[in-house]
Amino acid sequence: MIVSDKMKSVLVHYNQGLTLYKSRKFVEAKEEFKKALAIHPEDGPSKLYIERCDDYIADPPPEDWDGVYNMKTK
Protein backbone atom coordinates (compact mmCIF):
# COMPACT_ATOMS: atom_id res chain seq x y z
CA MET A 1 0.00 0.00 0.00
CA ILE A 2 1.32 3.40 -0.98
CA VAL A 3 0.68 6.26 1.43
CA SER A 4 0.55 9.75 -0.05
CA ASP A 5 2.69 12.58 1.33
CA LYS A 6 -0.53 14.30 2.41
CA MET A 7 -1.57 11.27 4.46
CA LYS A 8 1.93 10.96 5.93
CA SER A 9 1.56 14.54 7.21
CA VAL A 10 -1.82 13.71 8.70
CA LEU A 11 -0.32 10.71 10.47
CA VAL A 12 2.55 12.76 11.89
CA HIS A 13 0.11 15.18 13.55
CA TYR A 14 -2.31 12.44 14.57
CA ASN A 15 0.42 10.37 16.23
CA GLN A 16 1.84 13.44 17.99
CA GLY A 17 -1.68 14.24 19.21
CA LEU A 18 -2.15 10.71 20.46
CA THR A 19 1.12 10.82 22.39
CA LEU A 20 0.12 14.12 24.00
CA TYR A 21 -3.37 12.78 24.74
CA LYS A 22 -1.97 9.75 26.53
CA SER A 23 0.26 12.13 28.52
CA ARG A 24 -2.84 14.05 29.65
CA LYS A 25 -1.82 17.13 27.65
CA PHE A 26 -5.27 17.58 26.17
CA VAL A 27 -4.95 21.20 24.99
CA GLU A 28 -1.74 20.43 23.10
CA ALA A 29 -3.17 17.16 21.76
CA LYS A 30 -6.24 18.95 20.44
CA GLU A 31 -4.01 21.35 18.50
CA GLU A 32 -2.22 18.43 16.81
CA PHE A 33 -5.51 16.77 15.89
CA LYS A 34 -6.70 20.10 14.46
CA LYS A 35 -3.55 20.27 12.31
CA ALA A 36 -4.34 16.80 10.98
CA LEU A 37 -7.88 17.94 10.14
CA ALA A 38 -6.56 21.03 8.37
CA ILE A 39 -4.76 18.69 5.99
CA HIS A 40 -7.54 16.09 5.72
CA PRO A 41 -10.89 17.49 6.93
CA GLU A 42 -12.60 14.09 6.82
CA ASP A 43 -10.17 12.40 9.24
CA GLY A 44 -12.60 10.65 11.58
CA PRO A 45 -10.11 9.61 14.27
CA SER A 46 -8.84 13.19 14.66
CA LYS A 47 -12.43 14.46 14.95
CA LEU A 48 -13.14 11.87 17.63
CA TYR A 49 -10.07 12.74 19.67
CA ILE A 50 -10.84 16.47 19.46
CA GLU A 51 -14.20 15.72 21.09
CA ARG A 52 -12.50 13.62 23.76
CA CYS A 53 -9.92 16.33 24.40
CA ASP A 54 -12.73 18.87 24.81
CA ASP A 55 -14.40 16.56 27.34
CA TYR A 56 -11.20 16.11 29.32
CA ILE A 57 -10.29 19.81 29.16
CA ALA A 58 -13.70 20.59 30.70
CA ASP A 59 -13.64 17.67 33.15
CA PRO A 60 -10.18 16.10 33.58
CA PRO A 61 -9.93 12.37 34.19
CA PRO A 62 -8.87 11.08 37.63
CA GLU A 63 -5.17 10.90 38.52
CA ASP A 64 -5.17 7.13 38.06
CA TRP A 65 -6.60 7.42 34.52
CA ASP A 66 -5.48 4.49 32.37
CA GLY A 67 -6.22 6.13 29.01
CA VAL A 68 -9.62 4.49 28.58
CA TYR A 69 -12.40 6.84 27.50
CA ASN A 70 -15.75 6.23 29.17
CA MET A 71 -18.61 7.24 26.90
CA LYS A 72 -21.23 9.41 28.54
CA THR A 73 -24.02 8.75 26.02
CA LYS A 74 -24.99 6.03 23.59
Side-chain angles (χ1 to χ4, degrees):
M1 179 173 156
I2 298 174
V3 178
S4 69
D5 288 341
K6 177 180 171 181
M7 200 58 188
K8 286 178 186 175
S9 295
V10 170
L11 289 171
V12 166
H13 291 295
Y14 176 82
N15 286 327
Q16 182 65 29
L18 201 54
T19 298
L20 290 163
Y21 177 87
K22 290 178 179 177
S23 298
R24 302 173 59 103
K25 296 178 181 176
F26 303 114
V27 173
E28 295 93 336
K30 180 180 175 181
E31 290 306 311
E32 289 298 321
F33 295 127
K34 285 170 67 176
K35 289 176 185 176
L37 281 180
I39 298 166
H40 181 58
E42 299 305 313
D43 183 46
S46 291
K47 289 179 182 180
L48 176 69
Y49 274 101
I50 287 172
E51 290 176 16
R52 291 180 179 185
C53 286
D54 285 340
D55 287 347
Y56 283 142
I57 290 167
D59 185 19
E63 289 301 317
D64 63 348
W65 180 63
D66 60 3
V68 173
Y69 182 80
N70 294 314
M71 293 179 62
K72 295 177 178 129
T73 61
K74 267 186 148 179

